[in-house]
Amino acid sequence: GSLLVADEILVTHPMYSRFEQALSKNAVLERAINGGDMNVRLEALSNLSLWTLLLDIEPAAVPLSVRTIKNELRQISRNGISQEELQEMKRYLQGILCVRRRGTMADVAQGLLDAFEHNHTISGYASELASVN
């Protein structure tokens, strides 16, 4: 559960929310990214992790957007996320787990078979949600 929470913080929510809010506070940046896509990726490289932010933005706004995002990352590394962000992220994660892991009957069946094969309880999904909580 803790790893799922950490993963969600680093690659989806609340990072997107933080960046979106910070960038939209500046009218120049808001116009520059209007309609642009934002993507975050986390990749393992040997004994390091590579965190990448892809942002579709006008070239003239790149320096200001980089400073803004660096500032947000600095704040997150110093202060962490707020309790409200953590609760919102957990609600997001609990909703997305079902879609991501149990989206089709084949996924559900595979989960049940895996649980049976490894002598886990059939309620593995419920314990995963409880762990996130």
Side-chain angles (χ1 to χ4, degrees):
S2 296
L3 289 174
L4 285 169
V5 168
D7 181 55
E8 289 301 313
I9 289 170
L10 290 171
V11 296
T12 55
H13 192 79
M15 296 299 255
Y16 272 18
S17 179
R18 283 271 187 112
F19 294 151
E20 290 277 344
Q21 288 174 22
L23 294 169
S24 66
K25 286 179 186 175
N26 184 308
V28 172
L29 288 178
E30 190 170 32
R31 282 193 302 275
I33 63 170
N34 193 13
D37 288 334
M38 185 186 300
N39 245 329
V40 176
R41 247 190 348 231
L42 189 63
E43 299 174 62
L45 291 176
S46 183
N47 62 342
L48 302 172
S49 294
L50 175 65
W51 184 87
T52 309
L53 173 70
L54 304 169
L55 180 62
D56 187 14
I57 194 166
E58 294 174 8
V62 169
L64 181 56
S65 66
V66 168
R67 280 195 304 274
T68 303
I69 290 169
K70 278 177 136 179
N71 186 44
E72 284 303 309
L73 287 171
R74 232 178 267 116
Q75 287 180 17
I76 289 171
S77 67
R78 282 190 200 128
N79 308 323
I81 63 170
S82 70
Q83 195 61 30
E84 292 81 17
E85 286 174 317
L86 180 62
Q87 292 309 315
E88 184 180 338
M89 188 276 312
K90 285 181 180 181
R91 284 192 300 272
Y92 171 82
L93 179 58
Q94 289 172 339
I96 203 71
L97 278 176
C98 184
V99 174
R100 224 189 272 159
R101 304 238 171 105
R102 308 289 189 261
T104 66
M105 287 304 291
D107 294 335
V108 172
Q110 187 62 51
L112 292 172
L113 288 171
D114 287 345
F116 180 75
E117 184 177 283
H118 299 291
N119 294 323
H120 294 114
T121 62
I122 297 300
S123 64
Y125 179 63
S127 65
E128 190 174 49
L129 289 176
S131 180
V132 167
N133 254 341

